[in-house]
Amino acid sequence: GQQVMQIPQYQHVQEGEDFTTYCNSSTTLSNIQWYKQRPGGHPVFLIQLVKSGEVKKQKRLTFQFGEAKKNSSLHITATQTTDVGTYFCAGDYGGATNKLIFGTGTLLAVQP
Amino acid sequence: KAGVTQTPRYLIKTRGQQVTLSCSPISGHRSVSWYQQTPGQGLQFLFEYFSETQRNKGNFPGRFSGRQFSNSRSEMNVSTLELGDSALYLCASSERGFSGELFFGEGSRLTVL
């Protein structure tokens, strides 16, 4: 069945360093979404990527969708303590599948 | 607009009991989906409802069931609780389903003793 792998599971950085998390799907996605969950909180939508090769930026966050629509990445430039949390990708396989499959998430810890 | 509301926020049950969780979506949203979140398994899809119809379900045993009412409010039920059912149960609403942004509630944290 469909599966979304996400790496790394955990990343510890010094404030100001960059951070990247990667998602890979075994099959082609209709679109991919990214969510952030702060400790003790609930997932909050960040962005959705739909087109092959799409790149979107939100301030210090850069999101990419692979050409084959099977992988995606989230890159944070110059991390801040407010970036702490777990970042999830979620793959939409569309069509009859009609499921949103979440990756296992990457927990980001930022040391001031 | 009010956000997604889940009740109860916390509950403790014992093995063999059953539990019902409630979710009120954002006004105007017709899609409600449910997820189980555990430290080891991440966010696991349970089922999704749209206009009172279950459109899809995840790989959970039949002990997990749900329904959606005409006002889009949804409930999920877990019967014959097991220790492994301890988790945070998250409800998410959206206008169209998975093709758009999901708005999550705060979740219902279930502990099974």
Side-chain angles (χ1 to χ4, degrees), chain A residues 59-80:
Chain A
K59 297 183 180 178
R60 293 178 295 104
L61 277 61
T62 302
F63 303 84
Q64 293 188 338
F65 201 9
E67 294 290 340
K69 300 184 72 173
K70 288 185 177 181
N71 57 76
S72 181
S73 66
L74 158 59
H75 179 81
I76 302 178
T77 304
T79 54
Q80 300 175 358

Side-chain angles (χ1 to χ4, degrees), chain B residues 24-108:
Chain B
S24 292
I26 291 172
S27 177
H29 286 189
R30 291 190 290 166
S31 170
V32 173
S33 52
W34 288 88
Y35 290 85
Q36 181 195 67
Q37 185 172 33
T38 57
Q41 298 295 320
L43 279 152
Q44 300 289 311
F45 171 71
L46 281 156
F47 25 65
E48 189 240 356
Y49 288 89
F50 187 89
S51 294
E52 302 180 68
T53 300
Q54 185 183 88
R55 294 202 293 190
N56 216 326
K57 63 179 297 186
N59 298 321
F60 279 82
R63 300 186 297 109
F64 292 81
S65 63
R67 58 177 176 170
Q68 187 180 32
F69 303 96
S70 58
N71 62 358
S72 292
R73 188 178 72 84
S74 177
E75 289 181 346
M76 68 162 282
N77 183 277
V78 188
S79 62
T80 320
L81 285 167
E82 301 177 358
L83 296 179
D85 297 333
S86 294
L88 178 67
Y89 290 88
L90 290 160
C91 160
S93 80
S94 71
E95 292 183 356
R96 305 188 302 271
F98 298 135
S99 57
E101 175 181 356
L102 297 185
F103 294 83
F104 282 87
E106 297 286 347
S108 293

Side-chain angles (χ1 to χ4, degrees), chain A residues 30-31 33 35 37 40-46 48 50 86 88 90 92 95-105, chain B residues 9 35 37 40-43 45 48 55-59 88 90 96-107:
Chain A
S30 173
N31 68 77
Q33 300 175 21
Y35 291 80
Q37 185 174 23
H42 58 278
V44 174
F45 175 83
L46 293 176
Q48 181 182 53
V50 180
T86 301
F88 292 96
D92 176 8
T97 306
N98 198 41
K99 288 182 183 178
L100 196 64
I101 307 297
F102 278 77
T104 47
Chain B
R9 291 290 312 279
Y35 290 85
Q37 185 172 33
Q41 298 295 320
L43 279 152
F45 171 71
E48 189 240 356
R55 294 202 293 190
N56 216 326
K57 63 179 297 186
N59 298 321
L88 178 67
L90 290 160
R96 305 188 302 271
F98 298 135
S99 57
E101 175 181 356
L102 297 185
F103 294 83
F104 282 87
E106 297 286 347

Side-chain angles (χ1 to χ4, degrees), chain A:
Chain A
Q2 292 92 353
Q3 196 172 13
V4 178
M5 304 300 295
Q6 192 172 353
I7 57 169
Q9 286 190 341
Y10 174 78
Q11 182 86 58
H12 177 252
V13 300
Q14 293 285 124
E15 189 173 21
E17 291 181 336
D18 292 356
F19 159 77
T20 305
T21 174
Y22 301 90
C23 272
N24 285 287
S25 169
S26 53
T27 55
T28 302
L29 296 163
S30 173
N31 68 77
I32 193 160
Q33 300 175 21
W34 285 90
Y35 291 80
K36 176 184 179 181
Q37 185 174 23
R38 294 182 186 274
H42 58 278
V44 174
F45 175 83
L46 293 176
I47 209 160
Q48 181 182 53
L49 304 172
V50 180
K51 299 176 183 176
S52 168
E54 188 170 16
V55 178
K56 287 188 176 180
K57 292 190 176 183
Q58 289 180 349
K59 297 183 180 178
R60 293 178 295 104
L61 277 61
T62 302
F63 303 84
Q64 293 188 338
F65 201 9
E67 294 290 340
K69 300 184 72 173
K70 288 185 177 181
N71 57 76
S72 181
S73 66
L74 158 59
H75 179 81
I76 302 178
T77 304
T79 54
Q80 300 175 358
T81 54
T82 53
D83 295 326
V84 165
T86 301
Y87 293 85
F88 292 96
C89 61
D92 176 8
Y93 291 87
T97 306
N98 198 41
K99 288 182 183 178
L100 196 64
I101 307 297
F102 278 77
T104 47
T106 296
L107 174 59
L108 173 63
V110 181
Q111 184 167 351

